[in-house]
Coordinates of all heavy atoms in Angstrom, one line a residue:
A1 N 68.4 -29.9 98.6 CA 69.8 -29.6 98.6 C 70.0 -28.1 98.9 O 69.2 -27.3 98.6 CB 70.5 -30.0 97.3
I2 N 71.2 -27.8 99.4 CA 71.6 -26.4 99.6 C 71.6 -25.6 98.3 O 72.0 -26.2 97.3 CB 73.0 -26.3 100.3 CG1 73.3 -24.9 100.7 CG2 74.1 -26.9 99.5 CD1 74.5 -24.7 101.6
D3 N 71.2 -24.4 98.3 CA 71.2 -23.5 97.1 C 72.6 -23.1 96.9 O 73.2 -22.3 97.7 CB 70.3 -22.4 97.4 CG 70.3 -21.3 96.3 OD1 70.9 -21.6 95.2 OD2 69.7 -20.3 96.4
A4 N 73.2 -23.5 95.8 CA 74.6 -23.2 95.5 C 74.8 -21.7 95.3 O 75.9 -21.1 95.3 CB 75.1 -24.0 94.3
N5 N 73.6 -21.0 94.9 CA 73.7 -19.6 94.7 C 73.2 -18.8 95.9 O 72.7 -17.7 95.8 CB 72.8 -19.2 93.5 CG 73.4 -19.8 92.2 OD1 74.6 -19.8 92.0 ND2 72.5 -20.4 91.4
F6 N 73.4 -19.3 97.1 CA 72.9 -18.7 98.3 C 73.4 -17.3 98.5 O 72.8 -16.4 99.1 CB 73.1 -19.5 99.6 CG 74.6 -19.6 100.0 CD1 75.1 -18.7 100.9 CD2 75.4 -20.6 99.5 CE1 76.4 -18.8 101.3 CE2 76.7 -20.7 99.9 CZ 77.2 -19.8 100.7
E7 N 74.6 -17.0 98.0 CA 75.2 -15.7 98.2 C 74.5 -14.6 97.4 O 74.5 -13.4 97.8 CB 76.7 -15.7 97.8 CG 77.6 -16.4 98.8 CD 79.0 -16.5 98.4 OE1 79.7 -15.5 98.5 OE2 79.5 -17.6 98.0
Q8 N 73.8 -15.0 96.3 CA 73.0 -14.1 95.5 C 71.6 -14.0 96.1 O 70.9 -13.0 96.1 CB 72.9 -14.5 94.1 CG 74.1 -14.2 93.2 CD 75.3 -15.1 93.4 OE1 75.1 -16.3 93.3 NE2 76.4 -14.6 93.7
N9 N 71.1 -15.2 96.6 CA 69.7 -15.3 97.0 C 69.4 -15.0 98.4 O 68.2 -14.9 98.8 CB 69.2 -16.7 96.6 CG 69.3 -17.0 95.1 OD1 69.2 -16.1 94.3 ND2 69.4 -18.2 94.7
R10 N 70.4 -14.9 99.3 CA 70.2 -14.7 100.7 C 71.0 -13.5 101.2 O 71.9 -13.0 100.5 CB 70.5 -15.9 101.5 CG 69.7 -17.2 101.2 CD 70.2 -18.3 102.0 NE 69.4 -19.5 101.8 CZ 68.8 -20.3 102.8 NH1 69.0 -19.9 104.1 NH2 68.1 -21.3 102.6
E11 N 70.7 -13.1 102.4 CA 71.5 -12.0 103.0 C 72.1 -12.4 104.3 O 71.5 -13.3 105.0 CB 70.5 -10.8 103.2 CG 70.1 -10.1 102.0 CD 69.2 -8.9 102.2 OE1 69.0 -8.5 103.4 OE2 68.7 -8.4 101.2
I12 N 73.2 -11.9 104.6 CA 73.9 -12.1 105.9 C 73.1 -11.5 107.0 O 72.8 -10.3 106.9 CB 75.3 -11.6 105.9 CG1 76.1 -12.4 104.9 CG2 75.9 -11.8 107.3 CD1 77.5 -11.7 104.6
V13 N 72.6 -12.3 108.0 CA 71.8 -11.7 109.0 C 72.5 -11.8 110.4 O 72.0 -11.2 111.4 CB 70.4 -12.4 109.1 CG1 69.6 -12.2 107.8 CG2 70.6 -13.9 109.4
D14 N 73.6 -12.5 110.5 CA 74.2 -12.7 111.8 C 75.7 -13.2 111.6 O 76.1 -13.5 110.4 CB 73.4 -13.7 112.6 CG 73.7 -13.6 114.1 OD1 74.5 -12.8 114.5 OD2 73.0 -14.3 114.9
E15 N 76.4 -13.3 112.7 CA 77.7 -13.9 112.7 C 77.7 -14.9 113.8 O 77.1 -14.8 114.8 CB 78.8 -12.9 112.9 CG 80.2 -13.3 112.6 CD 81.2 -12.7 113.4 OE1 81.5 -11.5 113.2 OE2 81.7 -13.3 114.4
H16 N 78.4 -16.1 113.5 CA 78.5 -17.1 114.5 C 79.9 -17.7 114.5 O 80.4 -18.2 113.5 CB 77.5 -18.2 114.2 CG 77.5 -19.4 115.2 ND1 77.8 -20.7 114.8 CD2 77.3 -19.4 116.5 CE1 77.7 -21.5 115.8 NE2 77.4 -20.7 116.9
E17 N 80.6 -17.7 115.7 CA 81.9 -18.3 115.8 C 82.8 -17.8 114.6 O 83.6 -18.7 114.1 CB 81.8 -19.8 115.9 CG 80.9 -20.3 117.0 CD 81.6 -20.1 118.4 OE1 82.8 -20.1 118.4 OE2 80.9 -20.1 119.4
G18 N 82.7 -16.6 114.2 CA 83.7 -16.1 113.2 C 83.2 -16.3 111.8 O 83.9 -15.9 110.8
H19 N 82.1 -16.9 111.5 CA 81.6 -17.1 110.1 C 80.2 -16.4 110.0 O 79.5 -16.2 111.0 CB 81.6 -18.5 109.7 CG 80.8 -19.5 110.6 ND1 81.5 -20.3 111.5 CD2 79.5 -19.7 110.8 CE1 80.6 -21.0 112.2 NE2 79.4 -20.6 111.8
D20 N 79.8 -16.2 108.7 CA 78.5 -15.6 108.5 C 77.4 -16.5 108.6 O 77.5 -17.7 108.4 CB 78.5 -15.0 107.0 CG 79.5 -13.9 106.8 OD1 79.8 -13.1 107.8 OD2 80.1 -13.8 105.7
V21 N 76.2 -16.0 108.9 CA 74.9 -16.7 108.9 C 74.0 -16.0 107.9 O 73.8 -14.8 108.0 CB 74.3 -16.7 110.3 CG1 72.9 -17.5 110.2 CG2 75.2 -17.3 111.3
W22 N 73.6 -16.8 106.9 CA 72.7 -16.3 105.8 C 71.3 -16.7 106.1 O 70.9 -17.9 106.3 CB 73.2 -17.0 104.5 CG 74.6 -16.7 104.1 CD1 75.7 -17.3 104.6 CD2 75.1 -15.7 103.2 NE1 76.9 -16.8 104.1 CE2 76.5 -15.8 103.2 CE3 74.4 -14.8 102.4 CZ2 77.3 -15.0 102.4 CZ3 75.2 -14.0 101.6 CH2 76.6 -14.1 101.6
G23 N 70.4 -15.7 106.2 CA 69.0 -15.9 106.5 C 68.2 -16.5 105.4 O 68.7 -16.8 104.4
P24 N 66.9 -16.6 105.7 CA 66.2 -16.1 106.9 C 66.4 -17.0 108.1 O 66.6 -18.2 107.9 CB 64.7 -16.1 106.5 CG 64.6 -17.1 105.4 CD 65.9 -17.1 104.7
V25 N 66.4 -16.4 109.3 CA 66.5 -17.2 110.5 C 65.3 -16.8 111.4 O 65.0 -15.6 111.6 CB 67.8 -16.8 111.3 CG1 67.8 -17.4 112.7 CG2 69.1 -17.3 110.5
E26 N 64.7 -17.9 111.8 CA 63.5 -17.7 112.7 C 63.6 -18.9 113.7 O 63.1 -20.0 113.5 CB 62.2 -17.8 111.9 CG 61.0 -17.3 112.7 CD 60.9 -15.8 112.9 OE1 61.1 -15.1 111.9 OE2 60.7 -15.4 114.0
E27 N 64.4 -18.6 114.8 CA 64.6 -19.7 115.8 C 63.4 -20.1 116.5 O 62.5 -19.3 116.8 CB 65.7 -19.3 116.8 CG 67.1 -19.1 116.1 CD 68.1 -18.6 117.1 OE1 67.8 -18.4 118.3 OE2 69.3 -18.4 116.7
P28 N 63.2 -21.4 116.8 CA 64.2 -22.5 116.6 C 64.0 -23.3 115.3 O 64.8 -24.1 115.0 CB 64.0 -23.4 117.8 CG 62.5 -23.3 118.1 CD 62.2 -21.9 117.7
E29 N 62.9 -23.0 114.6 CA 62.6 -23.8 113.4 C 63.4 -23.5 112.2 O 63.6 -24.4 111.4 CB 61.1 -23.7 113.1 CG 60.1 -24.0 114.1 CD 59.8 -22.9 115.0 OE1 60.3 -21.8 114.9 OE2 58.9 -23.1 116.0
Q30 N 63.9 -22.3 112.0 CA 64.6 -21.9 110.8 C 65.9 -21.3 111.2 O 66.0 -20.3 111.9 CB 63.7 -20.9 110.0 CG 64.1 -20.8 108.6 CD 63.2 -19.9 107.8 OE1 62.4 -19.1 108.3 NE2 63.2 -20.2 106.5
L31 N 67.0 -21.9 110.7 CA 68.3 -21.5 111.2 C 69.2 -21.0 110.1 O 70.3 -20.5 110.4 CB 69.0 -22.7 111.9 CG 68.2 -23.2 113.1 CD1 68.9 -24.5 113.7 CD2 68.1 -22.2 114.2
G32 N 68.8 -21.1 108.9 CA 69.6 -20.5 107.8 C 70.9 -21.3 107.4 O 71.0 -22.5 107.8
I33 N 71.8 -20.7 106.7 CA 73.0 -21.3 106.3 C 74.2 -20.7 107.1 O 74.3 -19.5 107.2 CB 73.2 -21.0 104.8 CG1 72.2 -21.8 103.9 CG2 74.7 -21.4 104.3 CD1 72.3 -21.5 102.4
H34 N 75.0 -21.6 107.6 CA 76.2 -21.2 108.4 C 77.5 -21.3 107.5 O 77.7 -22.4 106.9 CB 76.4 -22.0 109.6 CG 75.5 -21.5 110.8 ND1 76.0 -21.2 112.0 CD2 74.2 -21.3 110.8 CE1 75.0 -20.8 112.8 NE2 73.9 -20.9 112.1
G35 N 78.3 -20.3 107.4 CA 79.5 -20.3 106.7 C 79.3 -19.8 105.3 O 78.2 -19.6 104.8
T36 N 80.5 -19.5 104.6 CA 80.4 -19.0 103.2 C 81.3 -19.8 102.3 O 80.9 -20.4 101.4 CB 80.9 -17.5 103.2 OG1 80.0 -16.8 104.1 CG2 80.9 -17.0 101.8
H37 N 82.6 -20.0 102.6 CA 83.5 -20.8 101.8 C 83.0 -22.3 102.0 O 82.9 -23.1 101.1 CB 84.9 -20.7 102.2 CG 85.8 -21.6 101.4 ND1 86.1 -21.3 100.1 CD2 86.4 -22.8 101.7 CE1 86.9 -22.3 99.6 NE2 87.0 -23.2 100.5
V38 N 82.8 -22.7 103.3 CA 82.2 -24.0 103.6 C 80.8 -23.6 104.2 O 80.7 -23.1 105.3 CB 83.0 -24.8 104.6 CG1 82.3 -26.1 104.9 CG2 84.4 -25.0 104.1
A39 N 79.7 -23.9 103.4 CA 78.4 -23.5 103.8 C 77.6 -24.7 104.2 O 77.5 -25.7 103.4 CB 77.7 -22.7 102.7
V40 N 76.9 -24.7 105.3 CA 76.1 -25.8 105.7 C 74.7 -25.2 105.9 O 74.4 -24.3 106.7 CB 76.5 -26.4 107.1 CG1 75.6 -27.6 107.5 CG2 78.0 -26.9 106.9
D41 N 73.7 -25.8 105.2 CA 72.3 -25.4 105.4 C 71.8 -26.1 106.6 O 71.5 -27.3 106.5 CB 71.5 -25.7 104.1 CG 70.1 -25.1 104.1 OD1 69.5 -24.9 105.2 OD2 69.6 -24.7 103.1
F42 N 71.7 -25.4 107.7 CA 71.2 -26.0 108.9 C 69.8 -26.5 108.8 O 69.4 -27.3 109.6 CB 71.3 -24.9 110.1 CG 72.7 -24.9 110.7 CD1 73.8 -25.3 110.1 CD2 72.8 -24.4 112.0 CE1 75.1 -25.3 110.7 CE2 74.0 -24.3 112.7 CZ 75.2 -24.8 112.0
D43 N 69.0 -25.9 107.9 CA 67.6 -26.4 107.8 C 67.5 -27.7 107.0 O 66.4 -28.3 107.0 CB 66.8 -25.3 107.2 CG 66.7 -24.1 108.1 OD1 66.4 -24.3 109.3 OD2 67.0 -23.0 107.6
I44 N 68.6 -28.1 106.4 CA 68.6 -29.4 105.7 C 69.4 -30.5 106.5 O 69.1 -31.6 106.5 CB 69.3 -29.2 104.3 CG1 68.4 -28.3 103.4 CG2 69.4 -30.6 103.6 CD1 69.0 -28.0 102.1
C45 N 70.5 -30.0 107.2 CA 71.3 -31.0 108.0 C 70.5 -31.8 108.9 O 69.7 -31.2 109.7 CB 72.4 -30.2 108.7 SG 73.4 -31.2 109.9
L46 N 70.6 -33.1 108.9 CA 69.9 -33.9 109.9 C 70.9 -34.7 110.8 O 70.5 -35.8 111.3 CB 68.9 -34.9 109.2 CG 69.3 -35.5 107.9 CD1 70.4 -36.5 108.0 CD2 68.1 -36.2 107.2
A47 N 72.1 -34.1 110.9 CA 73.0 -34.7 111.9 C 73.6 -36.0 111.6 O 73.8 -36.9 112.4 CB 72.5 -34.6 113.3
D48 N 73.7 -36.3 110.3 CA 74.3 -37.6 109.9 C 75.7 -37.8 110.4 O 76.1 -38.9 110.8 CB 74.3 -37.6 108.3 CG 75.0 -38.9 107.8 OD1 74.3 -39.9 107.7 OD2 76.2 -38.9 107.6
G49 N 76.5 -36.8 110.4 CA 77.9 -36.8 111.0 C 79.0 -37.2 110.1 O 80.1 -37.2 110.5
A50 N 78.7 -37.6 108.8 CA 79.7 -38.0 107.9 C 80.7 -36.9 107.7 O 81.9 -37.2 107.5 CB 79.1 -38.5 106.6
C51 N 80.3 -35.7 107.6 CA 81.2 -34.6 107.4 C 82.2 -34.4 108.5 O 83.4 -34.2 108.2 CB 80.4 -33.3 107.1 SG 79.3 -32.8 108.5
L52 N 81.7 -34.6 109.7 CA 82.7 -34.5 110.9 C 83.7 -35.6 110.8 O 84.9 -35.5 111.1 CB 81.9 -34.5 112.2 CG 81.5 -33.2 112.7 CD1 80.0 -32.9 112.3 CD2 81.6 -33.1 114.2
E53 N 83.2 -36.8 110.5 CA 84.1 -38.0 110.5 C 85.1 -37.9 109.3 O 86.3 -38.3 109.5 CB 83.3 -39.3 110.3 CG 82.5 -39.7 111.5 CD 81.6 -40.9 111.2 OE1 81.9 -41.7 110.3 OE2 80.6 -41.0 111.9
D54 N 84.7 -37.4 108.2 CA 85.6 -37.5 107.0 C 86.4 -36.3 106.7 O 87.4 -36.4 106.0 CB 84.7 -37.8 105.8 CG 84.1 -39.2 105.8 OD1 84.4 -39.9 106.8 OD2 83.4 -39.6 104.9
C55 N 86.1 -35.1 107.2 CA 86.9 -33.9 106.9 C 88.3 -34.1 107.4 O 88.5 -34.3 108.6 CB 86.3 -32.7 107.5 SG 87.3 -31.2 107.1
P56 N 89.3 -34.0 106.5 CA 90.7 -34.3 106.9 C 91.3 -33.2 107.8 O 92.3 -33.5 108.5 CB 91.5 -34.4 105.6 CG 90.7 -33.6 104.6 CD 89.2 -33.8 105.1
V57 N 90.7 -32.1 107.8 CA 91.3 -31.0 108.6 C 90.3 -30.4 109.7 O 90.5 -29.3 110.2 CB 91.7 -29.8 107.7 CG1 92.9 -30.2 106.9 CG2 90.6 -29.3 106.8
D58 N 89.3 -31.2 110.0 CA 88.4 -30.9 111.1 C 87.7 -29.5 111.1 O 87.8 -28.8 112.0 CB 89.1 -31.1 112.5 CG 89.5 -32.6 112.7 OD1 88.8 -33.5 112.2 OD2 90.5 -32.8 113.4
V59 N 87.1 -29.3 109.9 CA 86.4 -28.0 109.8 C 85.2 -27.9 110.6 O 84.8 -26.9 111.1 CB 86.1 -27.8 108.3 CG1 85.0 -26.7 108.1 CG2 87.4 -27.4 107.5
F60 N 84.5 -29.1 110.8 CA 83.2 -29.1 111.4 C 83.2 -29.4 112.9 O 84.0 -30.2 113.4 CB 82.3 -30.1 110.7 CG 82.2 -29.9 109.3 CD1 83.0 -30.6 108.4 CD2 81.3 -29.0 108.7 CE1 82.9 -30.5 107.0 CE2 81.2 -28.8 107.3 CZ 82.0 -29.5 106.5
E61 N 82.3 -28.7 113.6 CA 82.0 -29.0 115.1 C 80.5 -29.1 115.3 O 79.8 -28.3 114.7 CB 82.7 -27.9 115.9 CG 84.2 -27.9 115.9 CD 84.7 -26.7 116.7 OE1 84.0 -26.1 117.4 OE2 86.0 -26.6 116.7
W62 N 80.1 -29.9 116.2 CA 78.7 -30.0 116.5 C 78.2 -28.7 117.3 O 79.0 -28.2 118.2 CB 78.3 -31.2 117.4 CG 78.4 -32.5 116.7 CD1 79.2 -33.5 117.0 CD2 77.7 -33.0 115.5 NE1 79.0 -34.6 116.2 CE2 78.1 -34.3 115.3 CE3 76.7 -32.4 114.7 CZ2 77.6 -35.0 114.2 CZ3 76.2 -33.1 113.7 CH2 76.6 -34.4 113.4
V63 N 77.1 -28.2 116.9 CA 76.4 -27.2 117.8 C 75.0 -27.6 118.0 O 74.4 -28.3 117.2 CB 76.4 -25.8 117.1 CG1 77.8 -25.2 116.9 CG2 75.7 -25.8 115.7
D64 N 74.5 -27.2 119.2 CA 73.1 -27.6 119.5 C 72.1 -26.8 118.8 O 72.3 -25.6 118.6 CB 72.9 -27.4 121.1 CG 73.8 -28.4 121.9 OD1 74.0 -29.5 121.4 OD2 74.2 -28.0 123.0
S65 N 71.0 -27.5 118.4 CA 69.9 -26.8 117.7 C 68.6 -27.3 118.3 O 67.8 -27.8 117.5 CB 70.0 -27.0 116.2 OG 70.0 -28.4 115.9
P66 N 68.4 -27.1 119.6 CA 67.1 -27.7 120.2 C 65.9 -27.1 119.6 O 65.8 -25.9 119.3 CB 67.3 -27.3 121.7 CG 68.2 -26.1 121.7 CD 69.2 -26.4 120.5
G67 N 64.9 -28.0 119.3 CA 63.7 -27.5 118.7 C 63.6 -27.4 117.2 O 62.6 -27.1 116.6
H68 N 64.8 -27.7 116.5 CA 64.7 -27.7 115.1 C 64.1 -29.0 114.6 O 64.4 -30.1 115.1 CB 66.2 -27.6 114.5 CG 66.1 -27.3 113.0 ND1 66.1 -28.3 112.1 CD2 66.0 -26.1 112.3 CE1 66.0 -27.8 110.9 NE2 66.0 -26.5 111.0
P69 N 63.2 -28.9 113.6 CA 62.5 -30.1 113.1 C 63.4 -31.2 112.5 O 63.0 -32.4 112.6 CB 61.5 -29.6 112.1 CG 61.9 -28.2 111.8 CD 62.7 -27.7 112.9
E70 N 64.5 -30.9 112.0 CA 65.4 -32.0 111.4 C 66.3 -32.7 112.4 O 66.5 -33.9 112.2 CB 66.2 -31.4 110.2 CG 65.4 -31.0 109.0 CD 64.6 -32.1 108.3 OE1 65.0 -33.3 108.4 OE2 63.7 -31.8 107.6
S71 N 66.9 -31.9 113.3 CA 67.8 -32.5 114.2 C 68.2 -31.5 115.3 O 68.1 -30.3 115.1 CB 69.1 -32.9 113.5 OG 69.7 -31.9 112.9
E72 N 68.6 -32.0 116.4 CA 68.9 -31.2 117.6 C 70.4 -30.8 117.7 O 70.8 -30.2 118.7 CB 68.3 -31.8 118.9 CG 66.9 -32.2 118.7 CD 66.0 -31.6 119.9 OE1 66.4 -31.6 121.0 OE2 64.9 -31.0 119.5
I73 N 71.2 -31.3 116.7 CA 72.5 -30.8 116.6 C 72.8 -30.6 115.1 O 72.1 -31.2 114.3 CB 73.6 -31.8 117.2 CG1 73.4 -33.2 116.6 CG2 73.6 -31.8 118.7 CD1 74.5 -34.2 117.0
K74 N 73.7 -29.7 114.8 CA 74.1 -29.4 113.4 C 75.6 -29.4 113.3 O 76.3 -29.1 114.2 CB 73.6 -28.0 113.1 CG 72.1 -27.8 113.3 CD 71.3 -28.6 112.3 CE 69.8 -28.5 112.5 NZ 69.0 -29.4 111.6
A75 N 76.1 -29.6 112.1 CA 77.5 -29.6 111.8 C 77.9 -28.1 111.4 O 77.5 -27.6 110.3 CB 77.8 -30.5 110.6
D76 N 78.6 -27.5 112.3 CA 78.9 -26.1 112.1 C 80.3 -26.0 111.5 O 81.2 -26.6 112.0 CB 78.9 -25.4 113.5 CG 78.9 -23.9 113.4 OD1 78.3 -23.3 112.5 OD2 79.5 -23.3 114.3
P77 N 80.5 -25.2 110.4 CA 81.8 -25.0 109.8 C 82.7 -24.1 110.6 O 83.1 -23.0 110.1 CB 81.4 -24.5 108.4 CG 80.2 -23.7 108.6 CD 79.4 -24.4 109.7
A78 N 83.0 -24.5 111.8 CA 83.6 -23.6 112.8 C 85.0 -23.2 112.3 O 85.5 -22.2 112.7 CB 83.7 -24.3 114.1
N79 N 85.7 -24.1 111.6 CA 87.1 -23.8 111.1 C 87.1 -23.8 109.6 O 88.0 -24.4 109.0 CB 88.0 -24.9 111.7 CG 87.8 -25.1 113.2 OD1 87.9 -24.2 113.9 ND2 87.5 -26.3 113.6
E80 N 86.2 -23.0 109.0 CA 86.1 -23.0 107.5 C 87.4 -22.5 106.9 O 87.7 -22.9 105.7 CB 84.9 -22.3 107.0 CG 84.9 -20.8 107.1 CD 83.7 -20.1 106.4 OE1 83.0 -20.8 105.6 OE2 83.6 -18.9 106.6
A81 N 88.2 -21.7 107.5 CA 89.4 -21.1 106.9 C 90.4 -22.2 106.7 O 91.4 -22.1 105.9 CB 90.0 -20.0 107.8
Q82 N 90.3 -23.4 107.4 CA 91.2 -24.5 107.3 C 90.9 -25.4 106.1 O 91.7 -26.3 105.7 CB 91.2 -25.4 108.5 CG 91.7 -24.6 109.8 CD 91.6 -25.5 111.0 OE1 91.5 -26.7 110.9 NE2 91.7 -24.9 112.2
C83 N 89.8 -25.2 105.4 CA 89.4 -26.1 104.4 C 90.4 -26.1 103.2 O 90.9 -25.1 102.8 CB 88.0 -25.5 103.8 SG 87.4 -26.5 102.4
I84 N 90.6 -27.4 102.8 CA 91.6 -27.6 101.7 C 90.9 -28.0 100.4 O 91.5 -28.5 99.4 CB 92.6 -28.6 102.0 CG1 92.0 -30.0 102.4 CG2 93.5 -28.1 103.2 CD1 93.0 -31.1 102.6
D85 N 89.6 -27.8 100.3 CA 88.8 -27.9 99.1 C 88.8 -29.4 98.6 O 88.8 -29.6 97.4 CB 89.2 -27.0 98.0 CG 89.0 -25.5 98.4 OD1 88.2 -25.3 99.3 OD2 89.6 -24.6 97.7
C86 N 88.9 -30.4 99.5 CA 88.9 -31.7 99.0 C 87.6 -32.2 98.5 O 87.5 -33.3 97.8 CB 89.5 -32.7 100.1 SG 88.3 -32.9 101.4
M87 N 86.5 -31.6 98.9 CA 85.1 -31.9 98.5 C 84.5 -33.1 99.1 O 83.4 -33.6 98.7 CB 85.0 -31.9 97.0 CG 85.5 -30.6 96.3 SD 84.8 -29.1 97.0 CE 83.3 -28.9 96.0
L88 N 85.3 -33.8 100.0 CA 84.8 -35.0 100.6 C 83.4 -34.8 101.3 O 82.5 -35.6 101.2 CB 85.8 -35.5 101.7 CG 86.7 -36.7 101.3 CD1 87.6 -37.0 102.4 CD2 85.8 -37.9 100.9
C89 N 83.3 -33.7 102.1 CA 82.1 -33.4 102.9 C 80.9 -33.3 101.9 O 79.8 -33.8 102.2 CB 82.2 -32.2 103.7 SG 82.6 -30.7 102.8
V90 N 81.1 -32.6 100.8 CA 80.0 -32.4 99.8 C 79.6 -33.8 99.3 O 78.4 -34.0 99.1 CB 80.5 -31.5 98.7 CG1 79.5 -31.5 97.6 CG2 80.8 -30.1 99.2
D91 N 80.5 -34.7 99.1 CA 80.2 -36.0 98.5 C 79.5 -36.9 99.5 O 78.7 -37.7 99.1 CB 81.5 -36.7 98.0 CG 82.1 -36.0 96.8 OD1 81.4 -35.3 96.1 OD2 83.3 -36.2 96.6
V92 N 79.9 -36.8 100.8 CA 79.4 -37.8 101.8 C 78.0 -37.4 102.4 O 77.3 -38.2 103.0 CB 80.4 -38.1 102.9 CG1 81.6 -38.8 102.2 CG2 80.8 -36.9 103.7
C93 N 77.7 -36.1 102.4 CA 76.5 -35.7 103.1 C 75.3 -36.3 102.4 O 75.1 -36.0 101.2 CB 76.3 -34.2 103.1 SG 74.8 -33.7 103.9
P94 N 74.5 -37.1 103.1 CA 73.4 -37.8 102.4 C 72.2 -36.9 102.0 O 71.4 -37.3 101.2 CB 72.9 -38.8 103.5 CG 73.3 -38.1 104.8 CD 74.5 -37.4 104.5
V95 N 72.2 -35.7 102.5 CA 71.1 -34.8 102.1 C 71.6 -33.5 101.4 O 70.8 -32.5 101.2 CB 70.2 -34.4 103.4 CG1 69.4 -35.6 103.8 CG2 71.1 -33.9 104.5
D96 N 72.8 -33.5 100.9 CA 73.4 -32.4 100.2 C 73.2 -31.1 100.9 O 72.7 -30.1 100.3 CB 72.8 -32.3 98.8 CG 73.2 -33.5 97.9 OD1 74.3 -34.0 98.1 OD2 72.5 -33.9 97.0
A97 N 73.6 -31.1 102.2 CA 73.4 -29.8 103.0 C 74.6 -28.9 102.9 O 74.6 -27.8 103.4 CB 73.2 -30.2 104.5
I98 N 75.7 -29.4 102.2 CA 77.0 -28.6 102.3 C 77.3 -28.2 100.9 O 77.2 -28.9 99.9 CB 78.1 -29.5 102.8 CG1 77.7 -30.1 104.2 CG2 79.4 -28.7 102.9 CD1 78.8 -31.1 104.7
D99 N 77.8 -26.9 100.8 CA 78.3 -26.3 99.6 C 79.7 -25.8 99.9 O 79.9 -25.0 100.8 CB 77.4 -25.2 99.0 CG 78.0 -24.6 97.7 OD1 77.9 -25.3 96.7 OD2 78.4 -23.4 97.8
V100 N 80.7 -26.2 99.1 CA 82.1 -25.7 99.2 C 82.4 -24.9 97.9 O 82.3 -25.5 96.9 CB 83.1 -26.8 99.5 CG1 84.5 -26.3 99.5 CG2 82.8 -27.5 100.8
D101 N 82.8 -23.7 98.1 CA 83.1 -22.8 97.0 C 84.6 -23.0 96.7 O 85.4 -22.2 97.1 CB 82.7 -21.4 97.3 CG 83.0 -20.5 96.1 OD1 83.3 -21.0 95.0 OD2 83.0 -19.2 96.3
A102 N 84.9 -24.0 95.9 CA 86.3 -24.3 95.6 C 86.8 -23.4 94.4 O 88.0 -23.5 94.0 CB 86.5 -25.8 95.3
G103 N 85.9 -22.6 93.8 CA 86.3 -21.8 92.6 C 87.4 -20.8 93.0 O 88.2 -20.5 92.3
Ligands
SF4_201 FE1 86.8 -30.5 105.0 FE2 87.3 -31.1 102.5 FE3 84.8 -30.3 103.2 FE4 86.8 -28.6 103.1 S1 86.0 -29.7 101.4 S2 85.3 -28.8 104.8 S3 88.6 -29.9 103.8 S4 85.9 -32.2 103.9
F3S202 FE1 74.7 -32.7 108.5 FE2 75.3 -33.7 106.2 FE3 77.1 -33.3 108.0 S1 73.5 -34.1 107.4 S2 76.1 -33.6 109.9 S3 75.9 -31.7 107.0 S4 77.0 -35.0 106.6
ZN203 ZN1 77.8 -21.5 112.8

């Protein structure tokens, strides 16, 4: 599962589509965590797609991740500022790849 304390345990190493990327990143095998309020651990995501289907405000968009061992697409929190903290994505992800900081 994604580390809920990633903001303490990781460092921002990049920016992607307006959100932070928390390392370590070693492409293509290691992609880190994308987003902060809505955080997706790309190294855990296996492209189930439930988060894209269920998010009521379309926070997620697919991005390509060719060569990653888990999946060749990832759910990117492209519109994390639109999140309404419903926690549906956290509940439906089968591998607990998503953390939403609703505090
Ligand atoms: Fe979308 Fe709800 Fe997840 Fe926010 S908590 S990203 S609104 S499903
Ligand atoms: Fe990935 Fe979980 Fe969404 S596996 S596509 S973050 S439901
Ligand atoms: Zn991203």
Side-chain angles (χ1 to χ4, degrees):
I2 186 170
D3 176 8
N5 295 316
F6 70 90
E7 288 176 74
Q8 282 78 51
N9 297 333
R10 295 178 179 231
E11 289 180 7
I12 296 168
V13 296
D14 203 356
E15 194 210 284
H16 178 243
E17 302 288 337
H19 53 259
D20 294 326
V21 179
W22 301 79
V25 171
E26 194 73 50
E27 292 180 358
E29 298 90 357
Q30 195 171 25
L31 299 175
I33 291 174
H34 280 232
T36 300
H37 180 75
V38 180
V40 180
D41 192 325
F42 274 23
D43 296 310
I44 296 174
C45 174
L46 38 66
D48 177 84
C51 57
L52 273 94
E53 284 174 28
D54 289 359
C55 177
V57 292
D58 294 332
V59 162
F60 304 98
E61 294 178 5
W62 290 121
V63 293
D64 293 328
S65 55
H68 190 272
E70 293 296 339
S71 59
E72 305 235 316
I73 52 173
K74 302 294 177 184
D76 194 35
N79 307 305
E80 72 171 349
Q82 296 177 18
C83 176
I84 57 170
D85 297 344
C86 72
M87 306 308 271
L88 259 179
C89 59
V90 172
D91 291 341
V92 295
C93 178
V95 288
D96 292 331
I98 307 174
D99 181 69
V100 174
D101 182 12

